[in-house]
Amino acid sequence: MSKGVVITFMLVLFVLHQDFWLRDDATLILGILPIGLAYHMAFTAVAAIAWLVTVRFAWPKYLVEEENEGNEQ
Amino acid sequence: MTQTLIVVVYLILLLVLGYISSRLFRGNSNDYFVASRSIGPLVLFMSIFGTTMTAFAMVGSTGESYRVGIATYGKVASSSALIHSACFFLVGLPLWALGKRNGFHTQIEFFRARFESSKLGYLLFPILVGLIIPYLLVGLMGAGSVMHGVTRGAFPEIFTSTGGAVPPWLTMLVISCVVLYYIFAGGVRSAAWANTFQTCVFIVMGFIAFVTISSKLGGMQAASAMADPGKAVRAGNLTEMQFLSYCFIPLSVGMFPHLFQNCLTAKSAKSFRLTLVAHPIAIMITWIPCILIGLWATGAVMPDGVTPVIPEGTSPNAVLGMMVGKLATPIIGGLVTAGIMAAIMSSLDSQFVAVGTMFTKDIVVHFFGIDRFSEKQKVLLARGFICTIVFVTYLFTLAEPRSVFSLGIWCFSGFAGLFPLVFAAIYWRKATKAGAYAAVIGSALSWFILFRESDYGANGSYLVGGVMPVAVIFVACAICMVVVSLFTQAPSQDTLDKFFKKKV
């Protein structure tokens, strides 16, 4: 489960990272942020959310077993 | 003068913190090297994040943004937001579990056991230490450049040869001594505490610098309007192939010896959860102000409306220091400089400890036997080697002409090039001892050949067939590992049971 989820979102985000469609767009968002920079800020936030989902729903089983073994010892 | 005083007060605070953590030091090598595996989620996150953010992230990113524009964020920071956490998840967590189960303190102990080869450690040690030296150089040079830029004209009678600025050699000397003190006081625990404190300091101070500079330039909109529009896009500054191949660079965190050691300090696997999620956000909070300051520097003018803040021909290393020195009040300038020093020192400390640990555990104890030295002697050996490496690095800094960003990229390329080695060690049962040797040698040779071709890093635009050299080094390492492993003897069943018993 965990491997599949992580590999899928890594691939999707990797493709989204290559924002060639914005490479020569100099628009300033709110007159401050170049659109290429704003895009990558949003990308960073999405990456954090993806990791949150992974931690919450796809935490590896072997780590749970490892913790339990440690507690028993 | 005020800026220097604030920085001095900050350094004294760090010395006090080092003294306090020394009271908690248990005096044995396990505590010195991995803090008795007792670090919780918050300190682990702050410590790992502080370690990955160095002069490269603040001084280097501002200078690179000034040079090639906003593409700097996409090519290094946003890709790191994804890939750093992936490395912690796919490499850091399994290594933590294996390290805890088998009592590893260093990367080399892990590789020796996984590939059943004592000599592999002797091959890896000089390569890893050799790659850490440029990383240390990046930190020390960044500190020297910023202090030089911020204190320009402050001490005209004392430092006549530098136009009254604190000379870089003095800053680098003082910074090295302060970090050495608190590391010697309490080892990796001291580094973790100092990193936590320093990470808070550089995030807050970075924000203050950003607000102050934008306000001095007439607000964020005015500052962005003044900037060179050519630097607000990727086109013309970076090719698509360059941008794509830069994605290999963040893989370096999977092979940093100091991060390996940081991961081992975790109390439990759950301690990593906060790091995985918060690391991307913390990267954004740290990098964005620096990228915008670098962009604004391309068109910023002084309040007279004519004189550029950054004169033509300025070294990219000096951009952040000059923006802060010229546009912030002395007090703000001092606080921000302290924040930049914090970012730099929070990496240096972990690197110092890692270098000392590797020397003691992987060379001395491994060669002479575990009972040859007392616990106290082991700690002393680590400290002695750290001093030697710091001294050698310091000598290099006195003659180092390269940009912080360029030097950092070569250092990261070397570590990222070795990534297939650690990945195969964890996930591929068929990875063999011969494959590991081939991977290390292939990676080191290709790194050296390309580094030489780039005029030892002096050519900052050096590419191989349009892609970053790191891609070539990575592929060379991966091919060597796979091809040689397929044709050589598989590891023993005992070793496979030890490393693949659980699903890692």
Side-chain angles (χ1 to χ4, degrees), chain B residues 42 75 80 88 91 93-94 141 149 155 164 179-180 192 199 217 244 281 304 366-367 419 434 472 482 499:
Chain B
L42 184 65
K75 75 180 179 180
S80 296
F88 301 145
V91 176
L93 277 167
M141 283 167 53
F155 304 97
V179 178
L180 283 176
T199 303
L217 293 172
L244 179 68
I281 299 297
D304 64 14
H366 186 79
F367 189 79
F419 185 82
V472 178
V482 173
F499 287 88

Side-chain angles (χ1 to χ4, degrees), chain B residues 338-383:
Chain B
I340 297 167
M341 296 296 153
I344 291 166
M345 287 189 286
S346 63
S347 299
L348 289 178
D349 51 18
S350 302
Q351 291 158 354
F352 285 1
V353 175
V355 160
T357 310
M358 285 196 296
F359 176 70
T360 312
K361 294 272 175 191
D362 300 329
I363 302 297
V364 178
V365 171
H366 186 79
F367 189 79
F368 291 101
I370 195 158
D371 299 324
R372 171 69 180 74
F373 298 100
S374 67
E375 291 291 297
K376 218 171 190 176
Q377 284 173 321
K378 285 177 198 167
V379 173
L380 273 176
L381 280 167
R383 289 173 176 172

Side-chain angles (χ1 to χ4, degrees), chain B residues 107-175:
Chain B
Q107 261 179 329
I108 289 177
E109 283 177 339
F110 163 73
F111 285 124
R112 270 182 170 143
R114 167 65 182 85
F115 292 114
E116 306 168 315
S117 169
S118 169
K119 291 189 180 74
L120 181 63
Y122 296 123
L123 174 68
L124 265 174
F125 178 78
I127 292 172
L128 295 176
V129 172
L131 285 171
I132 281 187
I133 288 178
Y135 205 167
L136 295 173
L137 270 174
V138 165
L140 291 177
M141 283 167 53
S145 308
V146 168
M147 211 47 198
H148 183 265
V150 169
T151 58
R152 204 174 288 254
F155 304 97
E157 286 167 10
I158 306 175
F159 305 119
T160 46
S161 63
T162 54
V166 176
W169 67 263
L170 181 58
T171 305
M172 294 188 284
L173 184 67
V174 172
I175 292 287

Side-chain angles (χ1 to χ4, degrees), chain B residues 44-54 195-196 198-199 202 279 342-350:
Chain B
L44 183 72
F45 159 63
M46 293 292 223
S47 171
I48 287 181
F49 178 68
T51 301
T52 54
M53 293 299 116
T54 176
N195 279 355
T196 304
Q198 303 203 93
T199 303
F202 75 70
H279 190 81
I344 291 166
M345 287 189 286
S346 63
S347 299
L348 289 178
D349 51 18
S350 302

Side-chain angles (χ1 to χ4, degrees), chain B residues 50-75:
Chain B
T51 301
T52 54
M53 293 299 116
T54 176
F56 180 81
M58 303 192 83
V59 182
S61 65
T62 310
E64 188 70 357
S65 173
Y66 172 76
R67 200 174 70 84
V68 301
I70 56 135
T72 305
Y73 184 82
K75 75 180 179 180

